[in-house]
Amino acid sequence: NAGVTQTPKFQVLKTGQSMTLQCAQDMNHNSMYWYRQDPGMGLRLIYYSASEGTTDKGEVPNGYNVSRLNKREFSLRLESAAPSQTSVYFCASLNPRTRPTSSTGELFFGEGSRLTVL
Amino acid sequence: AQTVTQSQPEMSVQEAETVTLSCTYDTSESDYYLFWYKQPPSRQMILVIRQEAYKQQNATENRFSVNFQKAAKSFSLKISDSQLGDAAMYFCAYSYVFGNEKLTFGTGTRLTIIP
């Protein structure tokens, strides 16, 4: 039972290079999220996808793009990496339900990807 | 917009003692969830406890319990009989109940357990 799987776990880039962080979940969840974690700032939402085929910006979307390839996969792309994007990135998934039976709201997280931009 | 505030960047406690981590939040909604997540050095985010706002009874999970004060918008985590394995970053988080349920996180409290 893999849950949420992120790749790669570590990556070093030079300024201006591009890369894609991959995320896949095997829990048949509808919603998927990308967060970044920086010291003293907690986790901040970059983008999310409420369902296959839809994506929306979160709190800090600048410099990133996302693709919801199918229900399982949600990728995060840095087109031209900058040192300010040095961070730990977390993918997460959740299965919301409509009222009156609301979901638990519990996010299931991947193990995180540490990205360093030089 | 919802905000979550953790005013204690660091806390420490003697092993076997009790510690309380503070969290306040701001929302105009009446129906929502609150969470405490633990992040040990392994970096994995682990759900510790969850509270539904419509429930007046405070949630408990073994040694972990919360003090949920809805009117004061306060949600503290009490860890009893602290163990070395409790050392971690603890994040408080808020989620609106209906919809895609994005979580808003606080900035975290680093808890150190003193043997």
Side-chain angles (χ1 to χ4, degrees):
Chain A
N1 191 5
V4 179
T5 304
Q6 291 179 234
T7 56
K9 289 188 170 46
F10 300 93
Q11 184 73 48
V12 178
L13 291 176
K14 295 181 179 178
T15 296
Q17 287 185 318
S18 62
M19 76 156 298
T20 299
L21 295 174
Q22 306 285 355
C23 176
Q25 52 92 7
D26 62 2
M27 295 172 283
N28 202 35
H29 287 169
N30 290 327
S31 299
M32 297 186 72
Y33 307 80
W34 278 105
Y35 284 88
R36 62 177 287 174
Q37 181 180 14
D38 302 291
M41 304 192 75
L43 279 79
R44 294 179 293 168
L45 183 64
I46 305 171
Y47 270 94
Y48 65 97
S49 171
S51 61
E52 184 179 353
T54 67
T55 61
D56 284 289
K57 295 178 180 179
E59 182 184 356
V60 288
N62 291 343
Y64 304 96
N65 286 302
V66 291
S67 296
R68 183 73 182 267
L69 304 171
N70 47 56
K71 191 171 185 178
R72 290 187 65 249
E73 298 172 290
F74 188 40
S75 62
L76 178 72
R77 183 161 178 85
L78 288 68
E79 291 291 352
S80 178
S84 61
Q85 295 177 304
T86 294
S87 188
V88 178
Y89 291 85
F90 285 94
C91 179
S93 70
L94 172 149
N95 198 31
R97 302 173 214 155
T98 56
R99 289 181 190 275
T101 306
S102 300
S103 86
T104 63
E106 178 182 354
L107 285 183
F108 294 82
F109 285 86
E111 294 182 347
S113 301
R114 181 176 292 280
L115 175 64
T116 301
V117 183
L118 303 175
Chain B
Q2 293 80 18
T3 58
V4 177
T5 301
Q6 293 180 250
S7 59
Q8 305 155 316
E10 298 183 350
M11 294 280 287
S12 60
V13 63
Q14 292 283 146
E15 193 175 3
E17 297 296 311
T18 295
V19 64
T20 298
L21 308 183
S22 300
C23 174
T24 59
Y25 59 94
D26 187 26
T27 182
S28 58
E29 304 295 339
S30 60
D31 202 6
Y32 50 87
Y33 287 101
L34 296 163
F35 307 83
W36 280 98
Y37 277 87
K38 169 185 177 181
Q39 186 182 43
S42 67
R43 210 167 63 195
Q44 181 69 47
M45 294 289 287
I46 302 165
L47 179 65
V48 174
I49 200 164
R50 172 179 60 238
Q51 175 79 43
E52 290 104 333
Y54 69 88
K55 291 186 177 179
Q56 294 188 350
Q57 185 174 6
N58 289 327
T60 62
E61 288 287 343
N62 301 315
R63 298 182 295 107
F64 299 86
S65 61
V66 299
N67 184 5
F68 173 48
Q69 301 290 329
K70 191 172 184 179
K73 295 180 181 176
S74 170
F75 183 61
S76 60
L77 175 69
K78 185 172 81 171
I79 306 174
S80 304
D81 185 26
S82 297
Q83 301 175 359
L84 294 177
D86 295 333
M89 282 289 287
Y90 286 82
F91 292 97
C92 179
Y94 163 99
S95 172
Y96 177 43
V97 169
F98 182 71
N100 59 56
E101 300 176 32
K102 298 174 288 182
L103 260 67
T104 300
F105 287 85
T107 53
T109 297
R110 181 172 301 282
L111 178 64
T112 300
I113 310 297
I114 303 168

